[in-house]
Amino acid sequence: MSNTPNTPPVGDEIFLLKMGEMVLKGLNRRTFEERLMGNARRRLQKHGKFRITSRQSITYIEPKEASCDMEGAFETLRTLFGVVGLSRAKACEKTPEAILETAKTYLRDDLMEAATFKVESKRSDKTFPMTSIQLSQYVGGELNEAFPHIQADMHHPDVVVHVEVRDFAAYVHANPTPGAGGLPVGVGGKAVSLLSGGIDSPVASWMMAKRGVALEMVHFFSYPYTSPEAKEKVLELARLLTPWTGRLVVHVVPFTQIQEELRRSCPEALFTLLMRRFMMRIAEKVAQRVGAEGLVTGESLGQVASQTMQAMAVTGQVCTLPVFRPVVGMDKEEIIRTARKIGTFETSILPYEDCCTVFTPRHPKTRPHLDEIEAAEAALDIDGLIQAAVEGIERVVLDP
C-alpha cells in the first residue's frame, strides 16, 4: 500500500489520540486541533522526533526514528489536556488478512494473559469491503481459533481488540488508556494563578489548565517569617503541575514589608482581608504585565474565615479582571482527592508555613463591610507598597 506524505506508514507503532469535546466545536475546531498538536510537539521534544498529524477526530503521533522513547512519550501524552483517550497502536494494510495478522502478533501478550475478549471495529473508510460488524466477527472468530484458551465475552471482556479502518491505514490496539480530558492549554486564554503552599491552589490551577487556560503563577514570600524551604516547596508544587500545564513562570513577590506595615497600622481582626486585597492588587499588576485576562485563586466557600461570601466580595472588589475560583464549591475531601490524583498532595502537606499562616489574627473578621476595610486602608501608602513589591519580583521559569 502506498502512503500519502505526512501520514502514518503501515507497519509502524504509533500513538492514537482521541479528542473529546473539541469535536463539538464549529468553524474554529481546526484552531483547537492545531493547539493540541503544538502542545504535543513541544512536550515530546525530550523523547525524540515525532510526526504529528490530525484527521477525522484522531491525532496521529508517529516516531520518526528508532531511538524515540516510546514509553516516556506515552506517559507524557497521558497528561496532555484535550485528549480523552490514547492508545499505542500498530498500523497495517487495509485488508482483513493484514488486520488479523497484526492483531495476532501485536496483541499476542494481551491475548495470552486474558480469559475473555471481544473485538470492536470502526470503519471510517466506507470503501472497505466489510461492515464494522462483519470485520469484528471475522477477526474475533479467527482469534478464537488462534487462542483457544480465551472465550468471547461481549459484556465484560478482559481485553478489547480495537480495529479502526481509516483513510490511510488500519490500526489495531487494545484497551485505550484514559487521557487527561479537557481542552488544549492555551485555547482558553491566559490567567495568573495565586499559588500558596497549601492543598487548594495547585488543584485550582490544574482545573483551570484543564479548561484550556495558560497560566503564570504568583507566590507571596515573607522572608524571614517564611523560610527558604517554604519557597522551594511552592516551586516544587509548580514543577509538579508542569506535566499538565507545560512551561510555567512563577513570580515570587516579596511580601514582608506589606505584612509588617499591616501589623503596625491596621486592626488585627482585618489582617487577613487586607493582606488578601494586597495580593489581588499585585496579582492583577502581574497579569497586566504578562497579558493575562483573569486571576485564579484556590478559595473554597466557608473553608476559612477569609473565604466567606462577604470576605470574598471584599477581596475581589479591588480587581478589574475576572477572578476564577474553580474549587469554590468543593469540600476538602474532594480537593484532597484531586490533589492526590495530580501528584501535589504529598508536597502540599510538608510542614513549611507560608505567609498566609504567619500573620493569622486570633479573631479574624468573617463578615466584613467594605467601608471598614477602606477606612483601615486609608492609613496605608497602598500604591507605594504595591510598587515596591512589584519591583522586587523574582521570576522563576520551570519546564516540564
Side-chain angles (χ1 to χ4, degrees):
M1 169 182 171
S2 63
N3 293 296
T4 303
N6 298 321
T7 61
V10 299
D12 285 357
E13 185 180 40
I14 69 170
F15 300 120
L16 302 181
L17 309 186
K18 299 198 175 183
M19 305 172 198
E21 59 187 285
M22 290 166 53
V23 302
L24 303 177
K25 303 300 178 183
L27 297 177
N28 62 346
R29 173 173 161 178
R30 188 60 188 170
T31 302
F32 285 74
E33 293 174 347
E34 288 175 352
R35 176 71 70 167
L36 176 67
M37 290 189 290
N39 291 348
R41 191 170 290 111
R42 283 188 293 274
R43 305 281 184 87
L44 291 174
Q45 284 178 351
K46 61 185 176 182
H47 301 298
K49 295 181 179 179
F50 293 84
R51 180 180 292 110
I52 303 175
T53 56
S54 184
R55 192 173 179 85
Q56 294 181 322
S57 304
I58 297 288
T59 297
Y60 302 86
I61 299 182
E62 174 212 344
K64 289 183 176 180
E65 49 198 17
S67 60
C68 287
D69 176 9
M70 296 294 281
E71 295 292 340
F74 189 76
E75 289 305 310
T76 292
L77 293 171
R78 289 179 65 179
T79 59
L80 184 68
F81 286 128
V83 177
V84 295
L86 62 156
S87 305
R88 291 177 72 157
K90 193 77 167 178
C92 66
E93 300 281 349
K94 289 195 294 182
T95 67
E97 296 77 17
I99 291 169
L100 173 61
E101 187 59 30
T102 302
K104 285 180 180 179
T105 56
Y106 183 60
L107 301 180
R108 178 178 177 79
D109 290 345
D110 297 271
L111 293 167
M112 289 298 294
E113 294 174 5
T116 58
F117 83 112
K118 75 172 180 177
V119 179
E120 287 188 358
S121 300
K122 291 184 179 178
R123 188 185 57 133
S124 300
D125 179 1
K126 301 306 180 185
T127 64
F128 188 76
M130 288 182 171
T131 66
S132 297
I133 294 175
Q134 288 171 338
L135 181 57
S136 293
Q137 290 172 339
Y138 166 72
V139 174
E142 293 296 325
L143 288 178
N144 212 175
E145 291 288 331
F147 300 91
H149 70 283
I150 57 175
Q151 299 298 316
D153 183 344
M154 298 299 106
H155 303 292
H156 304 289
D158 295 333
V159 63
V160 179
V161 176
H162 291 268
V163 176
E164 303 188 28
V165 182
R166 295 189 171 272
D167 280 5
F168 305 111
Y171 304 94
V172 176
H173 60 92
N175 302 346
T177 298
L183 296 172
V185 170
V187 297
K190 186 176 185 179
V192 165
S193 184
L194 283 71
L195 184 65
S196 73
I199 299 170
D200 304 343
S201 59
V203 171
S205 301
W206 178 84
M207 292 177 70
M208 291 304 294
K210 187 174 183 178
R211 297 312 303 157
V213 177
L215 297 173
E216 296 207 15
M217 308 305 227
V218 171
H219 174 62
F220 297 89
F221 182 55
S222 294
Y223 184 80
Y225 301 106
T226 51
S227 66
E229 290 82 5
K231 174 183 168 183
E232 286 304 315
K233 169 186 170 180
V234 171
L235 293 178
E236 177 61 19
L237 286 171
R239 285 189 194 96
L240 293 170
L241 289 172
T242 58
W244 308 91
T245 62
R247 179 177 180 268
L248 283 177
V249 177
V250 183
H251 302 259
V252 182
V253 180
F255 207 55
T256 307
Q257 182 183 0
I258 290 174
Q259 289 189 301
E260 289 181 338
E261 186 60 32
L262 290 176
R263 185 167 61 179
R264 273 194 300 270
S265 306
C266 300
E268 181 188 2
L270 302 180
F271 280 178
T272 302
L273 294 167
L274 295 170
M275 179 180 68
R276 291 288 299 175
R277 280 165 66 91
F278 270 98
M279 288 179 172
M280 300 301 279
R281 292 179 175 113
I282 293 169
E284 186 160 273
K285 292 284 187 185
V286 173
Q288 291 165 354
R289 269 188 178 185
V290 303
E293 302 165 285
L295 305 178
V296 180
T297 77
E299 293 165 296
S300 174
L301 186 61
Q303 189 174 116
V304 294
S306 64
Q307 294 176 16
T308 63
M309 195 174 293
Q310 296 89 340
M312 285 193 280
V314 163
T315 56
Q317 183 267 342
V318 298
C319 299
T320 58
L321 292 177
V323 179
F324 300 101
R325 301 176 172 93
V327 302
V328 71
M330 297 171 67
D331 63 33
K332 200 67 178 182
E333 285 303 313
E334 292 174 299
I335 297 171
I336 288 173
R337 198 156 51 240
T338 304
R340 290 186 187 278
K341 170 185 173 180
I342 66 177
T344 57
F345 178 74
E346 296 300 331
T347 300
S348 289
I349 62 174
L350 291 174
Y352 301 117
E353 293 185 322
D354 60 31
C355 66
C356 294
T357 59
V358 173
F359 288 83
T360 302
R362 289 165 294 178
H363 304 291
K365 189 86 169 182
T366 58
R367 299 180 182 276
H369 296 286
L370 184 58
D371 54 356
E372 65 179 328
I373 296 294
E374 291 177 338
E377 287 180 337
L380 304 170
D381 177 12
I382 294 175
D383 292 340
L385 290 168
I386 291 174
Q387 184 64 27
V390 170
E391 289 175 354
I393 286 176
E394 173 194 4
R395 292 174 75 255
V396 181
V397 180
L398 303 171
D399 285 308

